[in-house]
Amino acid sequence: MRPRMPALDLVAPFLSEMDESGVYSNFGPLVKRLEAAYASHFNVPEDQVVTVSSATLGLEGAIRTTDVDTWLVPDFTFPATGLAVLEADRELVLVDVDEQTWELPESVASTVGSRGGVIAVMAFGAPIDLARWHGTETLIIDAAASLGSSSLDLASLPASWSVVFSLHATKVLPAGEGGVVVFGDAERASLFRAWSNFGFRGARVSTVEGTNAKMSEIHAAYGLASLSNWESERNEWLEPLQRARLISRQLNLPTSRQDTLGVHPYWVVDLGNADRAQSAARALESEGFGHRFWWPSLHTMPAFTGVSQHGDLSQSKRLSTSVLGLPMYRGLGLSHLDHVAEILVSELAKR
């Protein structure tokens, strides 16, 4: 993975505007413009979109703006998802994922109870399918890497739901750091905005227990520059991603529920078991290719010791040792991808 931010010539006009305004944070004009641009992007009213300094804080704030005490979270996810629940002082319950989608099965909604909520993680930039969660009362969609998906119309987002996207430098449409949170209800968005600004709601008085999670104008400048260059960035992602998808199909290597019409910053495959994945990792390393075992199971991490579990987490345990991240970035040469394919073919032939 080689992050690429917007070039200086794209960002400079927005930075000049920031200098001229003399506003550098606290919901400045660039932040407001970025929120309006994303509201249009998601087909929702502007008062339902709030930027934030990181997607992790976006998750925490989305949790805190509910009265839900218990949250079901996939055991196979990035630690930020589970940590957001703990930081919000709510009960975390780890749940196994579906073998095919690498995400929570829809059936978990029936186990959550009337006082529980679900955090559904869109694994590795998977598309958002609101219909999958029909009937779930309180839902947060952790769509950190899904900004490049082709399914971003959130006009029908239920009032008690929210969606969190990341603008980290490693993601599609990067701002360097930050996030965007879309709410199904304007009042919850307003409460979240207050939470992100020390609990202030129209006066310098903390009306709720808040924090400082505001996006700066500098990050908004980069976010706006990314949006202005979206078509070009999308096309740069498409070529290597299409080749990677073809290779994965030819080698019969399962991937997550990634959108074939959209883009995301990953080439992640399931090699079936830990031995095969480790062998492939060593072979790639010997040829100078980077790799990563993306998501160790949360229940194996010291930070989650003592956290409740639902079920045996068998799929999460397997995926955490058999899912391997392969090289993927804008501008990655197709010959490099083909070389990776040759290495994988050789490894798969051994077993």
Side-chain angles (χ1 to χ4, degrees):
M1 180 175 284
R2 295 183 181 178
R4 186 194 299 179
M5 294 285 286
L8 181 58
D9 61 335
L10 291 174
V11 184
F14 299 108
L15 295 177
S16 294
E17 287 185 42
M18 180 185 70
D19 272 349
E20 291 171 8
S21 72
V23 178
Y24 302 97
S25 190
N26 294 359
F27 307 120
L30 295 182
V31 161
K32 292 178 180 176
R33 195 190 309 177
L34 185 64
E35 290 176 346
Y38 270 114
S40 176
H41 199 63
F42 301 130
N43 193 28
V44 299
E46 291 182 21
D47 59 3
Q48 291 177 211
V49 177
V50 188
T51 54
V52 67
S53 57
S54 75
T56 307
L57 284 171
L59 290 169
E60 180 184 340
I63 295 165
R64 286 186 177 274
T65 54
T66 73
D67 60 0
V68 171
D69 299 321
T70 302
W71 289 88
L72 301 187
V73 169
D75 187 51
F76 185 62
T77 185
F78 189 65
T81 317
L83 291 173
V85 178
L86 299 182
E87 288 298 315
D89 297 322
R90 309 296 169 90
E91 181 185 5
L92 171 65
V93 179
L94 298 177
V95 184
D96 205 3
V97 294
D98 180 86
E99 181 180 14
Q100 302 300 319
T101 66
W102 306 356
E103 299 169 15
L104 290 178
E106 297 95 313
S107 59
V108 301
S110 64
T111 69
V112 72
S114 60
R115 295 290 295 171
V118 175
I119 301 182
V121 177
M122 304 296 99
F124 304 108
I128 298 170
D129 183 0
L130 299 181
R132 288 184 70 215
W133 296 98
H134 177 73
T136 306
E137 178 61 30
T138 307
L139 178 73
I140 297 173
I141 298 176
D142 181 348
S146 296
L147 265 180
S149 171
S150 63
S151 57
L152 290 179
D153 188 332
L154 301 179
S156 61
L157 191 69
S160 58
W161 293 12
S162 55
V163 186
V164 181
F165 299 93
S166 175
L167 301 179
H168 190 269
T170 57
K171 302 296 190 292
V172 170
L173 289 170
E177 184 57 281
V180 180
V181 188
V182 184
F183 292 90
D185 175 69
E187 176 55 29
R188 270 194 70 203
S190 177
L191 180 59
F192 177 93
R193 189 181 298 275
W195 171 83
S196 75
N197 189 31
F198 310 102
F200 296 166
R201 300 191 82 172
R204 293 177 62 80
V205 176
S206 296
T207 58
V208 296
E209 293 184 11
T211 190
N212 181 10
K214 301 183 299 295
M215 174 178 280
S216 76
E217 288 288 273
I218 292 174
H219 288 97
Y222 274 90
L224 287 165
S226 282
L227 273 175
S228 73
N229 192 48
W230 171 225
E231 285 304 316
S232 176
E233 178 182 340
R234 181 179 181 277
N235 289 335
E236 289 174 352
W237 280 113
L238 276 174
E239 188 174 46
L241 280 171
Q242 287 173 342
R243 180 62 65 87
R245 288 165 180 150
L246 176 62
I247 292 169
S248 298
R249 287 195 297 269
Q250 290 174 336
L251 300 184
N252 196 29
L253 292 175
T255 63
S256 67
R257 197 177 52 87
Q258 293 167 336
D259 188 358
T260 57
L261 300 177
V263 299
H264 50 78
Y266 303 108
W267 183 14
V268 184
V269 298
D270 182 2
L271 285 153
N273 59 63
D275 289 343
R276 182 183 286 178
Q278 290 287 352
S279 179
R282 289 191 294 270
L284 288 164
E285 188 171 334
S286 69
E287 294 288 329
F289 287 102
H291 56 81
R292 175 171 292 177
F293 289 90
W294 279 101
W295 290 345
S297 296
L298 295 194
H299 78 274
T300 66
M301 300 183 187
F304 299 99
T305 299
V307 165
S308 299
Q309 301 176 16
H310 177 75
D312 63 6
L313 309 181
S314 59
Q315 289 303 324
S316 175
K317 293 174 183 176
R318 187 191 69 78
L319 290 169
S320 68
T321 59
S322 65
V323 167
L324 189 65
L326 305 174
M328 179 52 59
Y329 51 87
R330 291 160 63 187
L332 176 61
L334 299 186
S335 61
H336 294 302
L337 290 166
D338 291 339
H339 191 176
V340 170
E342 292 170 2
I343 295 170
L344 294 176
V345 167
S346 176
E347 289 301 308
L348 294 173
K350 296 176 183 178
R351 299 174 184 272

